[in-house]
Amino acid sequence: MRTMLLSFKADVFERVKSGEKIYEHRRVFPNESVKAYLYISTPVKAIVGIMRLDNRVQIESWKKKYSYDEATLSRIDNYLSKHTVAMEITEFQMTNAIPLEKLRNDLPGFVVPQMYYYIENTELLKYLEKNLGPVGEPIKHSFDNIPPELICTH
């Protein structure tokens, strides 16, 4: 399993937090399970959660699976202009927030991710493991039977 710091815009994060967003779409992503600490950009500017990602799929492959649904095919084509892979968000856990100012104060040289970067065997990971705690109940998603209306929607 890879461990990374993943950056989100605040509006996208709200869809993760509500459980509405069930896939993470990227142009490039590892082909293995991921534990991602979530950095939320302006106006939040903090690390506020952890998600688990699994089962990377080539978005192009969904065209065959959902070939019977024109609206879904159109959304897939639209997503393919910016993304090539999707990963299931199998679990999300809200945490206490660690603001950017505190991160920079406690970890000189802290860098906000543009997209993501790996943090295995780093001081940042040790710091997060020590200073982040769960808030509320985790959100878990099942991917047994995904209807077409949930494909390439967020």
Side-chain angles (χ1 to χ4, degrees):
M1 177 180 297
R2 298 300 312 256
T3 305
M4 65 176 55
L5 182 59
L6 181 63
S7 183
F8 278 107
K9 292 180 181 177
D11 63 323
V12 176
F13 173 71
E14 287 302 317
R15 292 194 304 268
V16 170
K17 190 168 93 170
S18 73
E20 178 184 352
K21 180 176 170 65
I22 63 170
Y23 286 101
E24 177 58 15
H25 305 88
R26 297 280 168 153
R27 184 165 298 282
V28 179
F29 226 50
N31 193 17
E32 58 189 297
S33 299
V34 172
K35 178 179 183 180
Y37 291 87
L38 309 181
Y39 177 83
I40 312 309
S41 60
T42 304
V44 178
K45 295 185 181 177
I47 295 175
V48 297
I50 301 169
M51 72 169 45
R52 298 200 184 268
L53 302 155
D54 215 343
N55 302 317
R56 187 179 90 153
V57 63
Q58 296 292 322
I59 295 171
E60 181 78 31
S61 71
W62 283 342
K63 289 174 90 169
K64 182 177 181 182
K65 183 174 182 178
Y66 296 100
S67 62
Y68 60 91
D69 188 295
E70 286 297 322
T72 300
L73 290 175
S74 178
R75 289 194 312 272
I76 290 169
D77 283 337
N78 184 48
Y79 265 63
L80 284 169
S81 67
K82 294 182 180 175
H83 309 92
T84 55
V85 296
M87 287 190 80
E88 298 171 355
I89 301 172
T90 57
E91 185 174 337
F92 165 74
Q93 175 66 61
M94 188 74 183
T95 66
N96 58 295
I98 303 177
L100 177 58
E101 185 176 302
K102 181 165 177 47
L103 288 162
R104 287 188 169 151
N105 184 58
D106 294 350
L107 296 164
F110 173 79
V111 177
V112 171
Q114 291 298 314
M115 292 191 314
Y116 65 86
Y117 59 82
Y118 298 109
I119 59 173
E120 293 109 350
N121 303 311
T122 65
E123 289 302 311
L124 174 57
L125 178 57
K126 291 176 193 169
Y127 178 85
L128 295 175
E129 289 173 340
K130 180 179 176 187
N131 292 285
L132 281 179
V135 173
E137 294 297 316
I139 295 172
K140 297 181 181 185
H141 298 289
S142 170
F143 292 86
D144 295 335
N145 187 21
I146 302 299
E149 54 272 7
L150 296 180
I151 298 300
C152 294
T153 57
H154 301 290

